[in-house]
Structure formats: C-alpha cells, structure tokens
C-alpha cells in the first residue's frame, strides 16, 4: 500500500464526511468520481475519464478495495477501514502512528499527505510523487479561482453592524433631551451632573472594551454579541423608567458597557467572515451604521421640546434594535476562525461553506493551517503583548487609535453647536449638518476602501484633518472679520468631519483585526480600543481647560500638528492590506522585511 493511495482514500473520506454530505447528490457523485480517477491514475493507469452525471457506482469500499488490490502486500479492508476511520475522526489529518500500528507498517517511514495539513518537510524522498499526485488531484477537482459571492456573507455583516448603530445612537441620544432630563430629574443648572450624564457612558465603554478580548475568545463571537445586547437593553430601560439622577447614571453606565463590547466584537466578526476582496467595504458598514445611529438619535429627539417626557421614549426606542441583535445573531454563522482555534475544524468548514461556497472551503481551511503553529490562545499574556514579539503590531494599532482621538475630532462633534450658532445656524440644524457630512464621508470611504486601500485613505484623511484644523485655527485669528471668520470656521468644521469619516474614522477599526495574528487578535484589539477610550476621555476632560489657557488658535494648531504626525507614522509603519486574506497579512507581518 503506497503513501499516495492512503492519502487519496483519506482525502475521499474526509471530503465525503465533511463537505459532500452538504451538497446535492450530483456534486457528491462528481467528487467521488474524480477522486476515484485520481486513485486509478496513481496506480499507473493513465486513462482519460469522462464524467457523466448519473455516476453513482463508486463507494468508499470500492476505493479501499481498489487501493488494497494494487499493493504488493495487500491489507485487509477491515484493517484499513479502522485506520482511516481513526484518521477521519481526527479531522482528516493523517496520524502516522495509527497508520503504522493498525496497518502493520511499524518498520516503514511514511510521510503522509493530507488535503488540510501542510507538509512538515519539503525535501523528503517521496516528495516528488506526492506533489505530482497533489497537482493531479487539484487539477481534477477544478476548484474555482474566482472570488466567492459577496451575497453569502452580507446578511451576517448587516446583523453585526447593529452594535455600531446603537453606539452612534447612544452618542447622540442625550444631546437634545438633556435639558428636559435635568428638569424632570431635578438637577437643572448642575453642570457636573449634566456632564456625568453625558460622559459616564465613556467609563462603561472603557470597562467593556478592556474585557472584550477575553470574552470573545472564551465564549465566541455570537454569544459575545448577545452579551453586548444585554446591557443595551437593560441600560435604556433603567434610564427611561428612573426618577432620580442615580438611576440615570446607572442606566448610562450599563449602556456604556455594551458600547465598549459591541463594536469590538463587530470589528472582529466582520473581518473574519468577510471575503478578502470586499472586507474593506464591509468594514465601512460599521462606520456607516454609527453615522446612521447618530442621525436617528437626532430625529427621534426632535419632539422632545413639544412632548413632555419624550426623552423616556428616546431611550426606550433603542431597546428594539438591541433585542433584534440578540435574536438575529443566533441565526448567523459563528466565526470559522474562532472555531478553528478551538479545534472545531469540521464546524469551521461548515461555516466557511455558508460564507464562501463549497468550492472555496478547502482553500480557506488551508489558509488557516498556513499560520497554525499550535499556539494556545489562552496562553496570551499582557506582558507578551506589551513587550514580547507582538509588541510592534500592538504599538501600531494603539497609535492609530491614539492619533484618531488626538486629531481633535470629538471636540468638533461636542462643540459644533457653538460654532454654528456664531454663524447664525440653529443648534438642531448644526447637528444634522455634522451627521450628514459624517455619513457622506463614510459612504465615499465604503466605495474607495477596496479600491484605493486602507493605507492611502488613512494618509489622505489625516492630511485633510490637518488642513481643516489649520483652517479652524486661522479662523480664530483676531484680524479676520467676524462674519467671514464664522463662515470659515463652519466650513472647516464640516471639512474636518468629512475627511475624518473618509479614513481616520473607519480604517483603524477595520485594520486592527487584519494586522493582528489570530492567536492574539481579540485581546490585542481590546487593548488598542481601550487606549482610544482613555485618550478620548482625557481629551474631552482637558479641552475646555486647554482652550482657556492656550486659546482657540494655538489649540487647533496643536491638533493639526498631531494629524501631520499621524501622516508620517502611517507612511512609515502601516502596511497595505487591501485584497489580502487575514492569513496572508499575518505571514507578511512575520517576515523580516516588515
């Protein structure tokens, strides 16, 4: 019995058990026939076979008997069946000890070939024979070289963007109703209490983000989504029903936990289930959902001044998409990358089939094996991320989120009403204009993400932010006329929002799951996003204090300087990931040239 014959039979059984069982009978018959053709070819019978659809005669036993009958020392079919069954039970990877013991080959040195495992050595004496038959088998199976259909994964991506929709909604839900909330709950005029209502969700977001990595690695992506939906249901319910400031703060804190956990899981999930050629486009959906949620909160809050207690309805509305998320995610696929890391290869293949189609399952699994080094995900320690071999990529990811916040974008969002009011524009319209500019930029980024690439969008986005922040500082010049300065400031602010949403907004959340190795992906993304939340908190806390001491002109000039530093950082340290699989990116990052 030759190595090649064992390999083909094992490959047949692996495919029959894990892939073909999910296809139509026609596909089952054709694959069975092609493998039988490869087996006969490996025995020296180089005949040309023509496939005819009604081919149902080749079975597993036929293949086994054909293999054994060609051996110089035939083995009983029952013994070979026991060996192959044990191999298939181990996810189709040939186990040499089982082959030697069961088939009586203890004295022979075999290097078996598997469809799903890489060869441990490329200079083995039987390599030529194995590679010839591998090429034959691959040629006969005619695996598609085209991209998989983007329609398969789209529904799952849309469900995964619901946390980002809720994130944007809760960012803006208290903007208009804050005055009514303070009057009804008895803290009107208390600036500290009003600030806490707005910003306490940031503390919850930091907490949720810090623990998100461990959560998604331990329970999986789908259950993590459901866990994120829970505080987004309880928090608004508490805020809507409370009659005290303490109840409002508790509700906002709970919402913040979901805001920190949900977007982290969404970034990981979308990156892991999206085909490489549309991963950038699908990643942009997260930013678009955030913009849509923010605009929705503004429109829902419009009647707050006319209808008493409407602010309670504003909070309750958000429980609807949160409930939809908790139910709909149960119908979605689990991340095959997470399943593979858990050793659940068969389930990972089934999920890949749903996402990519049968023709792309084998290549997707092979890509995962290329970077599988048997590492234990639970063994990842904080010290390894902050000072070990993964420090550089973690530093790049953290720096991107740091520059995102140091660009001053949140000061633009938080104080846009004041700037627009100086130009005679009502605050309600100001928020709408900002939301529309943000949404427009996100839509443009969605179109360009997989054409221009992530790196290019980041560079031009930060450069545009530097120019717009410079214009903001120039508008603060005391020598300019009041009306001209106001309009220039408004134009620069809208330009700032637009350029931010083109790259600096959506790209870091997409790029992080791409550049991190699968072993550390969840925990590293959690750390980087936590860095972003911390800097966001301190920028918001220190902005008014710095504005009073430095002045508007110098402060906006500092923001512009940070944006230019970001341009230089991206040019030097960030690689382009457009069109590459996550495994190709990981291999590239491990190369000495990077």
């Amino acid at each position: 019995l030759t190595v090649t014959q064992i390999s083909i039979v094992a490959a047949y059984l692996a495919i029959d058990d894990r892939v073909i069982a999910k296809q139509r009978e026609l596909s089952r018959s054709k694959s069975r026939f092609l493998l039988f053709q490869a087996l006969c070819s490996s025995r020296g019978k180089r005949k040309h076979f023509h496939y005819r659809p009604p081919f149902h005669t080749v079975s597993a036993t036929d293949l086994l008997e054909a293999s054994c009958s060609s051996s110089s020392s035939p083995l009983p079919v029952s013994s070979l069946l026991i060996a192959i069954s044990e191999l298939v039970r181990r996810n189709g990877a040939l186990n040499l000890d089982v082959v030697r013991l069961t088939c009586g080959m203890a004295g022979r040195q075999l290097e078996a070939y598997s469809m799903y495992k890489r060869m441990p050595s490329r200079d083995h004496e039987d390599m030529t024979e194995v590679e010839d038959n591998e090429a034959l088998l691959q040629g006969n199976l005619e695996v598609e070289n085209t991209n998989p259909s983007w329609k398969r994964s789209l529904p799952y991506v849309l469900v995964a963007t619901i946390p980002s929709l809720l994130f944007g909604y809760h960012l803006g839900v208290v903007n208009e109703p804050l005055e009514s909330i303070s009057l009804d709950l008895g803290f009107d005029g208390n600036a500290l209490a009003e600030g806490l209502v707005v910003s306490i969700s940031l503390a919850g977001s930091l907490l949720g983000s810090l623990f998100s990595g461990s959560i998604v690695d331990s329970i999986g992506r789908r259950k993590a989504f459901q866990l994120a939906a829970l505080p987004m249901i309880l928090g608004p319910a508490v805020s809507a029903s409370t009659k005290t400031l303490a109840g409002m703060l508790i509700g906002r804190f709970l919402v913040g936990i979901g805001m920190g956990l949900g977007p982290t899981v969404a970034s990981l999930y979308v990156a892991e289930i999206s085909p490489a050629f549309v991963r950038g486009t699908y990643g942009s959906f997260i930013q678009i959902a955030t913009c849509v949620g923010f605009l929705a909160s503004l429109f829902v809050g419009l009647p707050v001044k006319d209808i008493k207690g409407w602010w309670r309805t504003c909070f309750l509305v958000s429980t609807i998409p949160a409930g939809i998320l908790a139910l709909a995610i149960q119908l979605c696929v689990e991340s095959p990358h997470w399943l593979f890391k858990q050793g659940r290869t068969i389930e990972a293949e089934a999920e890949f089939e749903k996402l990519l189609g049968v023709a792309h399952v084998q290549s997707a699994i092979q890509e995962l094996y290329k970077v599988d080094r048997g590492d234990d995900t639970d063994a990842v320690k904080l010290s390894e991320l902050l000072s070990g071999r993964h420090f550089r990529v973690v530093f790049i990811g953290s720096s991107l989120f740091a520059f995102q916040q140091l660009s001053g974008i949140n000061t633009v969002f938080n104080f846009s009403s004041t700037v627009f009011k100086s130009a005679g524009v009502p605050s309600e319209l100001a928020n709408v204009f900002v939301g529309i500019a943000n949404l427009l930029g996100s839509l443009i980024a969605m179109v360009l993400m997989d054409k221009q690439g992530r790196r290019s969008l980041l560079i031009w986005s930060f450069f545009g932010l530097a120019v717009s922040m410079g214009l903001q500082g120039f508008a603060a010049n005391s020598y300019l006329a009041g009306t001209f300065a106001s309009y220039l400031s408004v134009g620069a602010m809208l330009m700032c929002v637009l350029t931010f949403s083109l790259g600096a907004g959506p790209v870091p959340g997409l790029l992080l799951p791409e550049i991190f190795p699968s072993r550390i992906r969840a925990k590293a993304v959690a750390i980087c996003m936590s860095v972003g939340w911390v800097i966001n908190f301190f920028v918001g806390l220190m902005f008014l204090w710095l504005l009073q001491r430095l002045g508007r002109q110098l402060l906006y000039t500092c923001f512009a300087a940070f944006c230019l530093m970001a341009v230089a950082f991206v040019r030097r340290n960030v690689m382009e990931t457009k069109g590459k699989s996550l495994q190709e990116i990981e291999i590239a990052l491990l190369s000495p040239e990077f």
Side-chain angles (χ1 to χ4, degrees):
L1 185 64
T2 67
V3 175
T4 305
Q5 292 165 1
I6 291 180
S7 303
I8 294 174
V9 174
Y12 165 77
L13 290 177
I15 290 180
D16 189 50
D17 285 348
R18 293 195 296 274
V19 179
I20 303 179
K22 303 177 185 299
Q23 302 179 58
R24 299 188 304 272
E25 184 61 28
L26 185 62
S27 299
R28 179 194 298 267
S29 302
K30 183 173 182 179
S31 297
R32 191 172 281 175
F33 174 82
L34 292 173
L35 285 165
F36 182 71
Q37 173 186 344
L39 174 63
C40 293
S41 298
S42 70
R43 293 167 50 194
K45 299 180 178 180
R46 303 286 180 177
K47 295 181 179 180
H48 184 68
F49 291 79
H50 294 280
Y51 173 71
R52 294 178 175 81
F55 188 91
H56 300 282
T57 58
V58 178
S59 65
T61 304
D62 294 331
L63 288 174
L64 293 170
E65 289 177 344
S67 177
C68 292
S69 63
S70 66
S71 174
S72 58
S73 54
L75 298 171
V77 173
S78 58
S79 297
L80 190 56
L81 273 171
I82 294 173
I84 300 300
S85 299
E86 176 63 17
L87 304 179
V88 172
R89 188 183 70 79
R90 296 172 178 264
N91 295 331
L94 290 176
N95 185 295
L96 302 186
D97 292 332
V98 174
V99 173
R100 293 189 189 105
L101 294 175
T102 310
C103 298
M105 299 179 181
R108 295 184 60 181
Q109 298 296 322
L110 297 178
E111 288 292 342
Y113 166 78
S114 169
M115 294 180 66
Y116 299 104
K117 280 287 189 183
R118 290 182 301 166
M119 294 297 299
S121 173
R122 290 191 175 270
D123 55 358
H124 191 270
E125 59 184 1
D126 292 333
M127 175 56 69
T128 303
E129 179 184 358
V130 172
E131 288 183 343
D132 289 344
N133 284 282
E134 178 188 4
L136 174 65
L137 187 57
Q138 293 291 343
N140 285 331
L141 288 176
E142 299 177 349
V143 177
E144 296 182 19
N145 292 323
T146 58
N147 289 323
S149 173
W150 55 269
K151 297 178 182 179
R152 289 177 172 269
S153 52
L154 179 60
Y156 310 127
V157 171
L158 293 178
V159 173
T161 59
I162 294 179
S164 299
L165 179 78
L166 291 168
F167 178 85
Y169 185 88
H170 286 293
L171 280 180
V173 72
V174 296
N175 283 0
E176 289 299 323
L178 184 58
E179 183 179 348
S180 299
I181 293 172
S182 61
L183 286 171
D184 289 352
L185 299 185
F187 57 90
D188 183 35
N190 188 336
L192 177 61
E194 291 179 354
L196 282 174
V197 170
V198 174
S199 61
I200 195 171
S201 60
L202 294 178
S205 298
L206 175 60
L207 183 65
S209 181
L210 279 173
F211 290 98
S212 60
S214 300
I215 291 172
V216 297
D217 268 344
S218 58
I219 66 176
R221 288 19 172 183
R222 288 197 308 180
K223 291 182 179 179
F225 272 121
Q226 293 176 321
L227 189 61
L230 183 61
M232 287 189 171
I233 295 174
L234 294 178
V238 171
S239 296
S241 59
T242 187
K243 296 182 179 180
T244 64
L245 173 61
M248 175 60 67
L249 295 178
I250 292 173
R252 292 286 291 166
F253 182 80
L254 288 173
V255 165
I257 294 176
M259 290 170 64
L261 175 59
T264 303
V265 184
S267 296
L268 289 168
Y269 185 77
V270 170
E272 291 176 344
I273 69 169
S274 301
F277 74 103
V278 291
R279 192 170 57 244
T281 302
Y282 283 171
S284 300
F285 285 7
I286 295 176
Q287 178 71 9
I288 293 173
T290 303
C291 300
V292 171
F294 183 77
L295 285 172
S297 70
L298 298 180
F299 284 110
V300 171
L302 287 178
V304 73
K305 294 181 179 178
D306 301 323
I307 303 176
K308 183 177 177 58
W310 181 256
W311 61 268
R312 299 183 186 274
T313 303
C314 294
F315 284 110
L316 285 175
V317 165
S318 67
T319 61
I320 297 174
I324 292 174
L325 171 65
L327 296 176
I329 199 64
Q330 193 63 34
L331 304 176
C332 297
V333 299
E334 180 56 270
S335 166
H337 293 254
W338 180 78
L339 291 170
F340 182 80
K341 287 196 297 181
Q342 303 301 310
R344 296 156 63 177
T345 310
I346 297 177
E347 296 174 59
E349 292 171 8
E351 302 296 52
F352 268 133
E353 183 178 338
K354 295 177 185 177
L355 292 168
L356 307 177
V358 175
H360 298 275
V361 172
Q362 177 185 340
S363 59
I365 291 293
Q366 286 175 338
E367 285 291 315
L368 292 180
Y369 272 116
K370 285 180 182 178
V371 294
D372 175 39
R373 293 176 296 276
D375 296 328
D376 183 7
T377 303
D378 295 333
V380 179
K381 298 179 181 179
L382 183 63
S383 58
E384 183 179 346
L385 298 179
L386 299 181
S387 60
R389 60 193 175 101
H390 299 299
F391 170 74
R392 186 180 180 191
V393 287
V394 175
F395 173 73
I396 292 173
S398 301
S399 299
L400 288 177
F401 269 99
F403 281 123
Q404 183 189 66
Q405 300 304 322
L406 291 173
S407 68
I409 187 63
N410 282 314
T411 64
V412 172
F413 284 118
N414 293 337
F415 298 97
S416 59
S417 299
T418 304
V419 175
F420 276 88
K421 193 177 295 183
S422 67
V425 180
S427 61
E428 296 86 354
L429 286 178
N431 290 328
V432 172
F433 286 150
V434 169
I436 291 175
N438 198 8
L439 178 60
L440 178 62
S442 299
L443 291 173
I444 296 173
M446 179 187 70
V447 176
L448 297 178
M449 193 72 72
D450 285 309
K451 295 180 179 179
Q452 297 298 320
R454 286 68 148 153
R455 185 172 180 269
S456 176
L457 286 179
L458 268 181
I459 291 173
W460 286 107
S461 177
F462 276 117
F463 182 77
L465 280 168
V467 173
S468 58
M469 284 296 177
L471 290 175
Q472 288 269 35
F474 182 70
N477 194 315
S478 59
Y479 295 103
L480 294 178
T483 305
F484 176 74
S486 297
Y487 285 118
L488 179 60
S489 183
V490 167
M493 180 168 289
L494 291 177
M495 178 183 175
C496 182
V497 174
L498 181 66
T499 54
F500 175 82
S501 58
L502 283 173
V507 171
L510 167 66
L511 193 64
L512 260 62
E514 291 183 327
I515 66 174
F516 290 138
S518 58
R519 176 173 176 257
I520 67 167
R521 184 172 295 139
K523 291 183 174 66
V525 168
I527 289 175
C528 295
M529 288 191 170
S530 298
V531 169
W533 283 114
V534 170
I535 296 181
N536 183 11
F537 173 77
F538 281 106
V539 169
L541 180 67
M542 301 295 293
F543 176 74
L544 291 177
W545 182 83
L546 290 172
L547 186 63
Q548 291 174 356
R549 283 156 178 77
L550 299 179
R552 184 177 161 194
Q553 185 175 6
L554 181 57
L555 184 57
Y556 280 110
T557 303
C558 291
F559 286 140
F562 279 121
C563 293
L564 291 176
M565 291 170 59
V567 171
F569 179 84
V570 172
R571 287 177 61 88
R572 180 177 177 82
N573 296 286
V574 176
M575 66 172 290
E576 183 54 71
T577 59
K578 176 186 67 173
K580 298 178 181 178
S581 69
L582 298 180
Q583 290 68 43
E584 289 172 337
I585 297 169
E586 181 172 345
I587 292 172
L589 289 172
L590 292 174
S591 65
E593 291 81 6
F594 179 73

